[in-house]
Amino acid sequence: MTTPLDDAALTAFLEGQDSAWLAEQLMLAADDDPITRIRLTAAAGSESAVDDARAVLLTAVEQHLPEEEADDDALHRAIDLLDDLVDYGFEDEGGDIADEARDTYVDRHGDDDSDHLSRLSALADD
């Protein structure tokens, strides 16, 4: 029986790989996941990441079903993306997107005391 690699073992493996191979693997992951692509685009300093993040977050807010809240739902992932934008130097843009998403959330779902709304408020008010 095989055992899965833990994070430390996987990290050690990845650290030993060629950068071209790692870039190829990241691009494959980005092709499968728009949020990964936006994160990588933001890390590269591209302003297109801002518009892409806005679209993903507002879609996630619109499609969110509060009664089916899950810890790893699409809205949490989209809000996490704003944290990444801020980390990559898009502080003002991230705050503006959070403010817009907060307003959309309240219009769509009401002023509840959800973790989503509190996270959006924190990002918008920072």
Side-chain angles (χ1 to χ4, degrees):
M1 180 170 164
T2 60
T3 58
L5 288 176
D6 63 15
D7 287 351
L10 182 56
T11 298
F13 166 76
L14 293 171
E15 287 173 343
Q17 300 308 303
D18 176 67
S19 62
W21 182 85
L22 288 170
E24 179 183 355
Q25 299 309 306
L26 283 170
M27 291 308 298
L28 288 171
D31 286 343
D32 290 339
D33 181 19
I35 289 180
T36 298
R37 177 170 291 280
I38 296 166
R39 280 190 173 110
L40 293 171
T41 303
S46 175
E47 297 215 5
S48 68
V50 173
D51 290 334
D52 294 342
R54 174 180 281 111
V56 165
L57 179 57
L58 293 177
T59 298
V61 167
E62 300 258 335
Q63 295 176 347
H64 178 65
L65 301 171
E67 62 277 359
E68 296 179 18
E69 190 169 330
D71 290 337
D72 62 346
D73 67 356
L75 185 50
H76 272 300
R77 286 194 73 217
I79 296 169
D80 290 345
L81 183 56
L82 287 187
D83 287 326
D84 293 331
L85 281 182
V86 169
D87 289 345
Y88 293 128
F90 298 100
E91 296 91 359
D92 293 340
E93 296 89 340
D96 291 345
I97 295 168
D99 190 41
E100 182 179 354
R102 175 180 55 188
D103 291 346
T104 302
Y105 186 97
V106 170
D107 288 346
R108 179 127 176 124
H109 307 294
D111 191 0
D112 60 17
D113 55 337
S114 70
D115 184 47
H116 298 106
L117 189 55
S118 65
R119 289 182 67 203
L120 288 170
S121 292
L123 285 163
D125 295 337
D126 277 349

